[in-house]
Amino acid sequence: MLNIKSLAIVIQVLVVTANICILYYVVDMEKQNCHCSESWLRDYIKVVSSILIIMIVAGFVVPSLPEMLVKAVAKNKLLIVPLIAWNIVAILYLGVLLTYYYRLTTNNCQCSEDWKRKILLYPIVVLVPLVVSLSIIFGIKAVKALKK
């Protein structure tokens, strides 16, 4: 049976893997000059997926990173602002992935037709519960830190 830490590691590995595939897919379409894939959505996906990969890998390299962030927020309440902003960016990422997938499929974008296009949907299954859980956990910890 998986404990919470093991489950978190499995989810993080899945998120990193999915985002690597997504990043590869959108960069590949860009290299192929797939004009129907051109959009600010593609750029947003490239940036946010890159940041997600870096952040999760950094968490693997420095396992105490989440605790360090909580302590930093407890010491300086203003640090909660960029963390809240990041949560908003991550939630918007889910909407951008869905919107981008929808546009590619409804516009009959021939150059985007590939098995990799479906991978835009897989992170939704992982990220929605993850983002909601992390937002709730972070919110509870932030409220406790602010009360101190």
Side-chain angles (χ1 to χ4, degrees):
M1 181 180 217
L2 289 175
N3 62 24
I4 291 185
K5 285 190 178 189
S6 298
L7 182 61
I9 290 171
V10 168
I11 290 171
Q12 289 172 336
V13 168
L14 289 173
V15 170
V16 167
T17 304
N19 277 286
I20 288 171
C21 292
I22 288 169
L23 185 59
Y24 175 77
Y25 174 65
V26 295
V27 168
D28 188 46
M29 282 193 303
E30 186 175 29
K31 285 181 181 177
Q32 294 177 14
N33 292 321
C34 180
H35 296 293
C36 53
S37 75
E38 290 176 1
S39 166
W40 69 269
L41 298 170
R42 183 175 71 189
D43 298 332
Y44 188 88
I45 290 169
K46 286 187 332 189
V47 170
V48 176
S49 62
S50 298
I51 293 171
L52 273 170
I53 293 165
I54 291 167
M55 287 177 59
I56 294 172
V57 170
F60 284 139
V61 174
V62 182
S64 61
L65 191 60
E67 292 86 22
M68 291 168 42
L69 285 173
V70 170
K71 287 179 184 178
V73 168
K75 288 181 183 177
N76 185 352
K77 309 293 188 233
L78 287 176
L79 291 178
I80 199 164
V81 174
L83 292 175
I84 290 171
W86 171 249
N87 281 324
I88 292 168
V89 167
I91 291 168
L92 289 174
Y93 180 61
L94 301 174
V96 167
L97 285 173
L98 283 173
T99 303
Y100 192 62
Y101 176 82
Y102 178 76
R103 285 188 182 175
L104 292 176
T105 54
T106 58
N107 293 337
N108 294 322
C109 182
Q110 299 294 322
C111 54
S112 76
E113 288 183 8
D114 191 344
W115 67 268
K116 291 176 273 187
R117 181 169 70 185
K118 297 239 188 281
I119 203 116
L120 294 171
L121 298 176
Y122 291 116
I124 303 305
V125 175
V126 174
L127 289 176
V128 167
L130 181 65
V131 168
V132 169
S133 317
L134 290 176
S135 296
I136 291 170
I137 291 168
F138 177 74
I140 291 168
K141 288 184 178 184
V143 168
K144 286 180 182 176
L146 290 172
K147 287 183 180 178
K148 290 182 181 180

